Amino acid sequence: MVARRLRPAAIDGTELRVALVVGGATALLALAGIHRLGTEGLLAPLALAAVALLLTRPRLAMGLLVALVILCEGPTFGILTVTSHLYSQLYKYLSVLDLLVILALLSVALEVMRERRPLWLPRPLRLPLAILVLAMLAGVVTGHANGAGLRYAIVSEHVLCYLLLLPIAIANLGLDRREVSRVLVVLFALAAVKAVIGLVEVAGHYGETVEGTTTLTYYEPAANWLIMLAMLGALAYTLLDRALPPTSVILASPLLVACLVLAYRRSFWIAAVLGVLLVVLLGLSPVGRRAMALAALAVIAAIWLLGSVSFQSQLPIVKRAESLVPSRLEANLEDRYRLDERANVLGEIRKHPITGLGMTIPWSASVQPLSVEHVEGREYVHFAALWYWLKLGILGLCAYIGMMLASMTLAWRVWRRSREPLLRAFGLASLAAVAGLVVIDTTASFTGVDARFTVLFAAQLGLLAAVSRTEPAAD
């Protein structure tokens, strides 16, 4: 039998035209990118393809967003400085991070619409988020009435939008308990990696210094929050599972502790100690009124300790702790600035107790002269509750308090109702960490103000909501 000669398959005319159009569009996009950005513009087609992929993969888009926020430090970090471009502005007020957040939110929204799923909103978050929406509207209107540009006032609330939308988006990803457990394992691994990088930063004397010449690990709150949460989670898992933790947890825990200590962030030290006490108190004892009363007293004591801790030593760590003494606060120029700032902010709030000043409107030093001036310092407040009150009015203060209470409620439910030790540990660690956050927020404004911190905190809320949505076990 004579073998039949194989002929190439005929190319369909439609396929050929589509291929030519796609190829031509890619070439034009590359040329436009080169003209606009130089040789880096050659990556424009690749970036477009990545955007198209992420729009169809919401879990990948959200995971990429959180992972990049964790791994990419700002320009003050001594090593891996190239990662700071994630926070660079691309167009007017929009940064690369803003675009990634928009992409992740849009990806989740498209999937919900494709599958015709009703949007689910965790019950504990409904009222605080509704109040936050009203407060944000009030902040824009008040700021515009006081002279701020309308567009600038709206865009200045972009970090508050993270806090508003990211928990809802993550809660609607459809993650089950097993998938959340995998995410938690990955986050713990990323925290361990951050701890190692931070210790390398200290060993090589690459980064920022404190108390003169002592190099610290991380000054930014995002890394310290993740590491503190991982540390509390490892402790909670050990107490709740009542078994020897995995080798990876045993090896990573000292690195986490060392990295947090060498960050020299006084507020995070106090919050971490408070968190450990709460985890031990609630993890080892039956939950009752006595335990909750002790937990509340621990939070109050932690806030009081921020102004009354005193040690005597020449070690850099203890020197940093020594600066918490009230008499030293008066002598330290920066700490004195915070006291002057608070007096002036409270003066503004007394003048405008209902509306506040509005977004982008700076407070004035009408009560107490400032010891030093900072660039855009009068648009910031080193006390989160006061920042919300000053910028968003009384509704903003209610929204902040409501978000803290809702976060604790979600964490409580996950801890008390989950069957899996890992998820229970995540709930208990989150409960203790949010209690610590209440303390931290009395010394700086992170929640809804700092972009990186807010992404991580919102992701944490979303994961707690995803777990609480599943069928709970009896308490």
Side-chain angles (χ1 to χ4, degrees):
M1 183 174 61
V2 179
R4 183 177 299 175
R5 181 178 294 178
L6 297 177
R7 297 181 179 178
I11 300 177
D12 183 77
T14 303
E15 293 178 355
L16 179 59
R17 286 191 291 270
V18 170
L20 289 174
V21 170
V22 173
T26 302
L28 289 174
L29 183 61
L31 290 173
I34 293 173
H35 177 72
R36 185 76 175 176
L37 302 174
T39 55
E40 295 179 357
L42 287 172
L43 299 177
L46 182 61
L48 186 62
V51 169
L53 175 65
L54 294 176
L55 284 176
T56 60
R57 300 288 189 274
R59 296 185 182 186
L60 177 61
M62 198 65 70
L64 180 65
L65 168 65
V66 175
L68 288 177
V69 167
I70 291 173
L71 295 174
C72 297
E73 288 295 322
T76 59
F77 197 67
I79 55 180
L80 303 176
T81 55
V82 68
T83 62
S84 63
H85 292 303
L86 180 68
Y87 314 109
S88 300
Q89 289 188 348
L90 285 181
Y91 178 73
K92 293 186 178 180
Y93 309 117
L94 290 177
S95 67
V96 180
L97 177 60
D98 294 326
L99 295 181
L100 286 176
V101 171
I102 293 172
L103 182 62
L105 293 173
L106 184 58
S107 181
V108 175
L110 290 175
E111 182 183 65
V112 170
M113 289 188 293
R114 281 196 306 268
E115 299 181 358
R116 297 182 178 179
R117 287 190 278 124
L119 192 67
W120 179 73
L121 185 61
R123 186 178 296 274
L125 290 176
R126 292 176 185 176
L127 181 59
L129 291 181
I131 297 175
L132 181 58
V133 171
L134 295 176
M136 291 170 65
L137 291 174
V140 170
V141 172
T142 304
H144 183 58
N146 288 334
L150 182 59
R151 184 173 63 177
Y152 182 51
I154 293 174
V155 174
S156 65
E157 293 188 336
H158 69 288
V159 181
L160 288 170
C161 289
Y162 295 178
L163 184 62
L164 177 67
L165 299 176
L166 283 175
I168 301 173
I170 294 175
N172 283 274
L173 283 175
L175 298 173
D176 58 30
R177 289 173 172 252
R178 181 174 299 179
E179 290 169 327
V180 173
S181 297
R182 291 173 183 169
V183 171
L184 294 178
V185 171
V186 172
L187 290 175
F188 185 85
L190 288 175
V193 170
K194 290 292 290 185
V196 171
I197 295 175
L199 294 175
V200 171
E201 175 94 346
V202 170
H205 302 284
Y206 295 114
E208 289 190 75
T209 60
V210 65
E211 297 298 332
T213 59
T214 304
T215 308
L216 52 78
T217 52
Y218 296 105
Y219 183 80
E220 297 296 327
N224 288 307
W225 176 256
L226 176 68
I227 290 169
M228 186 182 77
L229 184 61
M231 185 181 70
L232 295 177
L235 176 61
Y237 183 82
T238 303
L239 294 177
L240 296 176
D241 194 38
R242 303 296 174 88
L244 189 67
T247 305
S248 58
V249 174
I250 296 175
L251 294 176
S253 296
L255 300 175
L256 296 171
V257 174
C259 187
L260 188 63
V261 169
L262 295 177
Y264 298 103
R265 295 304 302 268
R266 297 168 297 185
S267 57
F268 276 95
W269 287 351
I270 299 295
V273 172
L274 170 64
V276 169
L277 291 176
L278 292 179
V279 168
V280 173
L281 174 65
L282 300 177
L284 292 180
S285 62
V287 178
R289 293 181 180 179
R290 181 177 300 178
M292 295 310 299
L294 290 174
L297 288 175
V299 174
I300 296 172
I303 296 175
W304 174 80
L305 279 172
L306 279 175
S308 49
V309 173
S310 179
F311 295 100
Q312 295 297 326
S313 176
Q314 296 302 313
L315 295 176
I317 291 177
V318 182
K319 278 186 176 182
R320 186 66 172 162
E322 269 189 319
S323 64
L324 295 172
V325 181
S327 60
R328 292 181 179 269
L329 288 177
E330 296 287 339
N332 186 298
L333 194 63
E334 290 298 329
D335 288 331
R336 178 63 204 176
Y337 168 82
R338 297 191 182 196
L339 298 177
D340 296 337
E341 173 199 83
R342 188 166 301 179
N344 289 305
V345 168
L346 289 173
E348 294 283 14
I349 289 175
R350 281 192 291 268
K351 294 177 184 178
H352 311 278
I354 304 300
T355 62
L357 293 181
M359 294 302 297
T360 76
I361 303 300
W363 47 266
S364 61
S366 57
V367 176
Q368 184 73 30
L370 298 177
S371 58
V372 63
E373 285 282 359
H374 294 286
V375 178
E376 298 182 353
R378 298 196 184 194
E379 293 188 19
Y380 183 78
V381 183
H382 287 87
F383 197 126
L386 296 183
W387 184 91
Y388 277 80
W389 197 350
L390 184 71
K391 297 296 182 180
L392 308 178
I394 192 65
L395 285 176
L397 177 63
C398 294
Y400 173 77
I401 296 173
M403 288 299 297
M404 293 298 103
L405 293 176
S407 305
M408 292 183 182
T409 301
L410 284 174
W412 175 277
R413 290 183 178 181
V414 171
W415 166 42
R416 298 298 294 165
R417 298 179 180 179
S418 297
R419 298 183 180 92
E420 300 85 347
L422 179 58
L423 297 181
R424 293 191 65 208
F426 175 53
L428 179 55
S430 296
L431 179 62
V434 174
L437 178 59
V438 173
V439 176
I440 294 170
D441 272 348
T442 63
T443 63
S445 296
F446 296 146
T447 311
V449 181
D450 182 89
R452 293 181 61 208
F453 179 88
T454 303
V455 169
L456 293 186
F457 182 68
Q460 182 180 347
L461 289 185
L463 290 176
L464 288 170
V467 177
S468 68
R469 187 181 187 182
T470 59
E471 186 65 28
D475 283 354

